[in-house]
Amino acid sequence: MVSEEILRTHLQELRRGTVVVASLVALRHRDYGYALLQRLAAHGFPVDANTLYPLLRRLEEQGLLTSEWNTEESRPRKFYRTSEEGEAVLRRLLDDLAAVQTSVAGLIEGVDR
């Protein structure tokens, strides 16, 4: 029987790359970090804040997200949104993800390419 630690490690590796895709999809609608954490978790992508915030900064530096501060409320919040370049990258990532899913399904079913 596989230990929980081994399984947890592999699940973490599997989800690491999909968090970028999930974030770009979720941020098609403008949102701030904490709300994004909650939305991702609600859709099966539990992410630690110490992982998400550096990811958001990196995606912004790469031009895949835009951001703006909302200072109208009592607590200023930085809102993020997927940029046009982020949409283009997301489309490619989704295409590749679909190809990976097809390949894995073929392996499971024993289908040769």
Side-chain angles (χ1 to χ4, degrees):
M1 182 147 170
V2 176
S3 76
E4 285 299 313
E5 180 62 30
I6 291 171
L7 180 59
R8 188 172 32 255
T9 298
H10 288 294
L11 287 173
Q12 182 179 20
E13 289 177 21
L14 179 63
R15 290 185 176 139
R16 186 172 287 135
T18 58
V19 169
V20 170
V21 172
S23 296
L24 290 172
V25 168
L27 289 172
R28 285 175 161 168
H29 303 283
R30 182 177 95 100
D31 218 342
Y32 60 97
Y34 183 72
L36 178 62
L37 276 172
Q38 292 178 317
R39 188 157 27 135
L40 291 174
H43 285 88
F45 293 93
V47 183
D48 187 77
N50 293 327
T51 299
L52 183 65
Y53 289 108
L55 172 67
L56 293 175
R57 285 191 296 275
R58 189 182 82 219
L59 294 175
E60 184 180 16
E61 288 170 7
Q62 293 171 344
L64 305 182
L65 295 178
T66 60
S67 69
E68 61 185 44
W69 283 95
N70 179 346
T71 57
E72 295 173 5
E73 297 179 22
S74 61
R75 186 172 166 204
R77 292 184 174 151
K78 189 174 186 178
F79 282 79
Y80 296 91
R81 187 176 191 119
T82 304
S83 68
E84 286 184 31
E85 189 173 345
E87 279 290 334
V89 168
L90 176 59
R91 284 190 297 274
R92 294 282 309 270
L93 292 173
L94 289 172
D95 287 346
D96 196 62
L97 182 58
V100 167
Q101 289 174 317
T102 299
S103 296
V104 170
L107 284 170
I108 291 168
E109 297 167 7
V111 176
D112 289 331
R113 282 190 122 192

